[in-house]
Amino acid sequence: MTRTDGYLLDNRQSEAAERFDAFATLFDPTTFRHLEALGIGSGWRCWEVGAGGTSVVSWLAKKVGPTGRVVATDIETSRLAAAARPPVEVRVHDVGAQEPPGEGFDLVHARLVLVHVPDRERALRSMVKALRSGGRILVEDADPALQPLLCLDEQGPEQQLANRLRQGFRQLLADRGADLAYGRRLPRLLRDAGLRRVEADAYFPVTSPACAALESATIRQIRDQLVAADIATDQDIDRHLTNVASGSMDLATAPMISAWGRKA
Ligand SMILES: C[S@@+](CC[C@H](N)C(=O)[O-])C[C@H]1O[C@@H](n2cnc3c(N)ncnc32)[C@H](O)[C@@H]1O
């Protein structure tokens, strides 16, 4: 297997904004429910890891208010510019390779990030280290191996093509060091890191227009890599994008597992 370290889906590409909008529609309600349950409130100091777009960061900023702090980090921060004003501080930062951007955080959160980080063990250690005693961590990550299909109801050639391309996308991710069964490991990893009161749950949409928007943006973004790896032809990809746009298929996502706990 060829292993090419590096994130497959560069935030500078125009499709990244479409993907972040889709993540917000699909997953923000789940994320916000968990953050509320963890007690997020005025004055909290938060680290949003691999923030991507602005939806979670802006929500956190509203919750913590002017006396709080939200450090939003990513290896590529161009999509965060609109949120970069107090209490939000945006920093370029590689969570798998650098020291944390501060300490004593009340909350550290990462969504759909660690699965992509080759040194995710170091990343998680760094996130836990950055918490104050009693601070909360929420790690949310996909587990594509738990539910690998784009079309759960594989009825005909359109769905077969969709699932074949999904399999190819997963292959490209794995070639770059992604752990496609990472989500399910989170509770154990949090406990092993010394966190207390660890719990987890999972959520995944089975069909939604936002799944179609996410699929279209993702496939357009990785089109060249799919063709270069002989996973699909340009004709396959055009046909699939037309099928997705027609709205005739039920498209799902990989389950997102949310795991949380607090530092002793
Ligand atoms: C799938 S997106 C998720 C974005 C956002 N957390 C969300 O849920 O909408 C993954 C994000 O992780 C960032 N990322 C990838 N590798 C990273 C690393 N080593 N350190 C920090 N961020 C990273 C990417 O640039 C991208 O913004």
Side-chain angles (χ1 to χ4, degrees):
M1 182 175 82
T2 49
R3 159 111 183 230
T4 323
D5 282 348
Y7 185 49
L8 180 65
L9 298 141
D10 190 329
N11 292 354
R12 286 165 301 186
Q13 291 175 273
S14 58
E15 291 86 2
E18 298 173 50
R19 285 170 43 79
F20 293 149
D21 285 348
F23 289 140
T25 304
L26 293 168
F27 299 121
D28 276 2
T30 301
T31 297
F32 296 165
R33 176 170 59 81
H34 285 114
L35 292 173
E36 294 274 18
L38 290 175
I40 179 81
S42 177
W44 275 39
R45 294 151 298 165
C46 309
W47 176 18
E48 179 65 21
V49 180
T54 55
S55 75
V56 174
V57 170
S58 301
W59 185 89
L60 286 172
K62 229 180 253 169
K63 287 283 166 187
V64 305
T67 58
R69 183 173 180 227
V70 179
V71 179
T73 61
D74 203 295
I75 47 171
E76 212 295 305
T77 57
S78 55
R79 306 277 161 199
L80 286 164
R85 58 176 178 280
V88 176
E89 195 185 310
V90 173
R91 289 205 208 166
V92 176
H93 178 268
D94 182 337
V95 70
Q98 290 177 266
E99 285 299 299
E103 54 186 25
F105 287 103
D106 301 294
L107 169 77
V108 176
H109 173 238
R111 184 176 76 188
L112 305 172
V113 178
L114 295 189
V115 71
H116 299 291
V117 177
D119 198 349
R120 57 189 71 83
E121 212 176 290
R122 175 176 174 174
L124 190 56
R125 261 202 319 274
S126 170
M127 290 163 60
V128 173
K129 182 178 162 194
L131 282 173
R132 70 165 166 82
S133 172
R136 287 18 171 210
I137 190 167
L138 173 64
V139 185
E140 303 183 290
D141 244 309
D143 193 317
L146 201 57
Q147 192 300 98
L149 301 173
L150 179 59
C151 293
L152 302 181
D153 183 23
E154 199 181 86
Q155 272 210 317
E158 293 88 359
Q159 289 84 3
Q160 280 161 8
L161 174 60
N163 285 337
R164 180 160 69 78
L165 291 180
R166 173 52 55 102
Q167 160 70 24
F169 173 40
R170 293 169 61 223
Q171 186 58 56
L172 292 178
L173 289 172
D175 288 349
R176 278 165 176 74
D179 178 355
L180 300 175
Y182 189 61
R184 73 190 67 178
R185 310 193 207 290
L186 287 171
R188 174 173 54 80
L189 294 173
L190 293 190
R191 270 196 313 277
D192 289 352
L195 292 156
R196 300 245 179 97
R197 295 166 66 173
V198 172
E199 293 184 47
D201 63 16
Y203 169 75
F204 82 101
V206 171
T207 188
S208 150
C211 291
L214 179 62
E215 174 64 7
S216 171
T218 303
I219 292 292
R220 282 181 278 119
Q221 195 166 2
I222 61 168
R223 164 178 210 127
D224 291 349
Q225 287 102 314
L226 286 169
V227 172
D230 275 336
I231 290 167
T233 63
D234 273 312
Q235 289 80 359
D236 290 335
I237 292 172
D238 287 338
R239 199 149 37 92
H240 176 58
L241 288 173
T242 304
N243 294 340
V244 170
S246 77
S248 60
M249 296 190 293
D250 289 317
L251 304 180
T253 64
M256 182 179 77
I257 295 186
S258 304
W260 60 94
R262 61 179 66 184
K263 192 166 171 177

